Amino acid sequence: MREGPQSRDFVVLDTLAEQDGCSQQDLAERLGINRTIMVRLIDRLEEAGHVTRTRNPANRRSYVLTLTAAGREARDAMRQAVSDRDARVTAALTPDERRRLDELLGKMLPEPEQPAVQSTEYLVTQAHHRLRRHGDALLGPAGLRTRHFGPLSALELLAPCPQQELARYLAITEPSAAQVVDELVQAGLVARGQDPHDRRRYALELTALGRERLTSVRAAMESIAAEVLTILGGGPERELRALLLKLISPRA
């Protein structure tokens, strides 16, 4: 699930409306946004006239952010768009289920007692980012990323299979599948061979190294699952899993 084009802009403006004058670093930490991404985001908002950024008098190496009048107007205009997207994203859930999902996701973010943002779309995305960063840190020494788990696991089950079949299985676009497959081929983890059913197409298979590295990827995924279990506890973790599965299940 990806954030809408205004989602991060909105949550930054909305948070500044409640906590004006905070530092750029504090805002990034509170919202769980990578600092580099936050710098680019604030650059864009400053250029649009929605925030001002001045040196922090208490720490000249940091900036203090202030919401402008134009920023408040933009925040109000974005609120309905964010609300509409949330309604579409959570259409499969009852109101009580949506509230419970937001509550559980909020616990996955910094300051779980008082989530800064009430957008389900944003909470899902930020929880995903947090867990992905954890997995990436574990897999980085092996030259892998969390995003490689799905394709490697799928190919263990499906191979040999064409790239189009892999994309359908993972429910991603063919260009996205092509990008991640290229990464895995370059790393020597996946090989492109002839499709035995159609010689005009490639068939993808795991290499011996790919099968070996899949063990490391699975260990990282288990570590992520353990982190979620530690944060939420067994019952809430199962509840969150069920709600997310309901969220992404195809609707009739």
Side-chain angles (χ1 to χ4, degrees):
M1 181 181 302
R2 293 184 179 179
E3 295 169 279
Q6 294 180 321
S7 181
R8 279 185 174 163
D9 290 13
F10 170 73
V11 296
V12 167
L13 296 178
D14 196 49
T15 303
L16 286 176
E18 303 298 327
Q19 188 182 347
D20 213 7
C22 69
S23 75
Q24 187 169 294
Q25 179 177 335
D26 288 344
L27 185 64
E29 291 176 355
R30 182 177 184 193
L31 296 178
I33 296 176
N34 175 277
R35 292 184 186 181
T36 301
I37 293 174
M38 179 61 79
V39 169
R40 292 199 297 265
L41 197 160
I42 296 301
D43 284 346
R44 185 172 69 249
L45 292 175
E46 186 177 36
E47 184 177 351
H50 295 160
V51 302
T52 58
R53 178 168 48 185
T54 56
R55 288 287 182 183
N56 185 348
N59 181 357
R60 300 292 296 175
R61 292 177 298 176
S62 67
Y63 290 97
V64 170
L65 304 173
T66 304
L67 191 63
T68 65
R72 291 183 183 276
E73 291 179 4
R75 168 225 188 192
D76 292 341
M78 291 177 188
R79 185 181 297 280
Q80 187 59 51
V82 170
S83 178
D84 290 345
R85 280 202 305 274
D86 268 2
R88 291 194 297 271
V89 166
T90 61
L93 305 181
T94 67
D96 285 345
E97 287 174 332
R98 175 179 169 177
R99 283 190 290 271
R100 181 56 173 162
L101 176 62
D102 286 354
E103 178 185 353
L104 293 170
L105 289 170
K107 293 179 180 179
M108 301 292 299
L109 304 181
E111 299 187 11
E113 300 81 10
Q114 295 181 330
V117 181
Q118 296 303 319
S119 164
T120 302
E121 177 189 27
Y122 177 80
L123 291 171
V124 169
T125 304
Q126 290 306 110
H128 163 73
H129 287 335
R130 173 180 177 174
L131 297 177
R132 187 186 66 187
R133 286 194 296 269
H134 176 65
D136 286 350
L138 293 173
L139 292 169
L144 294 170
R145 293 291 182 268
T146 307
R147 65 177 177 272
H148 296 138
F149 171 68
L152 290 174
S153 299
L155 287 175
E156 183 184 43
L157 178 67
L158 302 174
C161 76
Q163 192 165 284
Q164 294 89 335
E165 182 180 346
L166 178 65
R168 286 194 298 271
Y169 183 84
L170 296 174
I172 61 177
T173 65
E174 290 190 19
S176 295
Q179 180 179 350
V180 73
V181 166
D182 284 345
E183 293 173 358
L184 295 172
V185 169
Q186 291 171 9
L189 307 182
V190 170
R192 285 190 176 103
Q194 288 289 340
D195 185 339
H197 304 294
D198 185 346
R199 297 186 63 82
R200 295 171 298 176
R201 298 191 303 183
Y202 289 112
L204 305 173
E205 291 189 87
L206 292 179
T207 64
L209 180 60
R211 294 183 183 280
E212 177 185 326
R213 293 291 170 82
L214 184 54
T215 302
S216 300
V217 177
R218 284 205 176 102
M221 295 304 104
E222 290 171 2
S223 177
I224 290 174
E227 181 178 0
V228 175
L229 192 61
T230 298
I231 294 170
L232 297 180
E237 186 272 341
R238 289 189 293 274
E239 191 178 359
L240 175 61
R241 185 186 298 269
L243 288 170
L244 290 174
L245 285 172
K246 186 173 182 180
L247 200 69
I248 64 175
S249 295
R251 294 187 288 274

